[in-house]
Amino acid sequence: MKRIITCAVCLLLVLVLTACTKNVTSNGNIENLAIVNMAFDCTNPYEYAGIVDYIFVGTVEGIESIIIDDNYEHTDSIYKIHVDNNLKGELAENITCSKLGGLKKDGTMLLIVAETPNGDQIADSGLPELGKQYVFSAYAQPDGSLSLSEIFDNREYNEALLKEYIEYIDNEIPFERDRFVSKYSK
């Protein structure tokens, strides 16, 4: 009898906990989270390749955090990424990265807008999705963490995109800035 009651209580707890969790997905609406002034022309992929610390092919294996709270205290999404191929820099196989942007509780996607030095504004095109493979660009932060680039992190991987990025890296335009080493560097 005690065993039946224990099993019933466990089943009830599982049902209650499952009902309490809310899986938020995009509802198709997009709002600007912020306008970020860029120190370089982010529409020039050769400049982009020169400013970031790492470029790699990666598969999104997990999303730790994507919900942005109502008061915008938390404005980053956190992703677990498997590094499939290092193109610039050497990262470990399994990394965690942050990216500005996320979803409101109602499913509205909040993305940043990058403003180039000449005043052009480029809206981020979206957020990486679970299970998909992309070519990512990332900056190492002072604490060793990684931040994905401001825009263009949702271009799905294919051979043509890989060739495109190799061209950018081979002909990158160097950019002088403080550089840091990621705790995920090999």
Side-chain angles (χ1 to χ4, degrees):
M1 184 69 172
K2 201 175 194 179
R3 188 177 201 178
I4 293 173
I5 292 172
T6 303
C7 286
V9 169
C10 287
L11 181 60
L12 182 63
L13 278 173
V14 168
L15 291 174
V16 168
L17 291 174
T18 302
C20 290
T21 60
K22 185 178 179 185
N23 187 13
V24 177
T25 57
S26 176
N27 62 17
N29 295 329
I30 297 175
E31 292 180 8
N32 292 340
L33 175 64
I35 296 176
V36 179
N37 292 320
M38 305 298 285
F40 70 103
D41 181 2
C42 59
T43 63
N44 182 331
Y46 300 98
E47 285 188 39
Y48 225 129
I51 197 166
V52 296
D53 299 308
Y54 303 94
I55 299 176
F56 59 96
V57 177
T59 303
V60 179
E61 292 191 330
I63 300 175
E64 285 188 6
S65 172
I66 198 166
I67 307 302
I68 295 178
D69 53 23
D70 294 334
N71 55 8
Y72 297 140
E73 285 181 23
H74 163 76
T75 57
D76 289 348
S77 295
I78 309 295
Y79 298 92
K80 294 276 191 192
I81 299 174
H82 181 270
V83 177
D84 304 315
N85 186 8
N86 285 297
L87 304 176
K88 177 182 178 179
E90 290 291 322
L91 293 170
E93 278 188 33
N94 297 300
I95 61 175
T96 300
C97 298
S98 65
K99 178 164 177 69
L100 284 171
L103 298 174
K104 289 171 128 179
K105 291 177 185 168
D106 71 357
T108 300
M109 190 177 294
L110 295 171
L111 300 173
I112 66 147
V113 174
E115 185 172 325
T116 65
N118 69 3
D120 292 340
Q121 292 188 346
I122 311 296
D124 193 354
S125 52
L127 298 171
E129 295 179 35
L130 185 64
K132 293 191 177 180
Q133 188 179 43
Y134 302 94
V135 177
F136 290 106
S137 300
Y139 302 93
Q141 300 301 303
D143 66 357
S145 64
L146 285 172
S147 291
L148 295 175
S149 62
E150 300 80 7
I151 54 178
F152 306 132
D153 277 328
N154 73 332
R155 297 178 68 197
E156 282 192 65
Y157 171 83
N158 60 45
E159 287 297 319
L161 187 62
L162 177 63
K163 287 180 185 175
E164 193 178 307
Y165 271 87
I166 289 171
E167 164 70 16
Y168 302 150
I169 294 164
D170 287 346
N171 297 290
E172 72 179 45
I173 299 171
F175 190 91
E176 281 298 315
R177 67 172 183 82
D178 288 340
R179 301 247 178 203
F180 306 100
V181 177
S182 171
K183 62 186 172 187
Y184 300 107
S185 287
K186 284 187 181 179

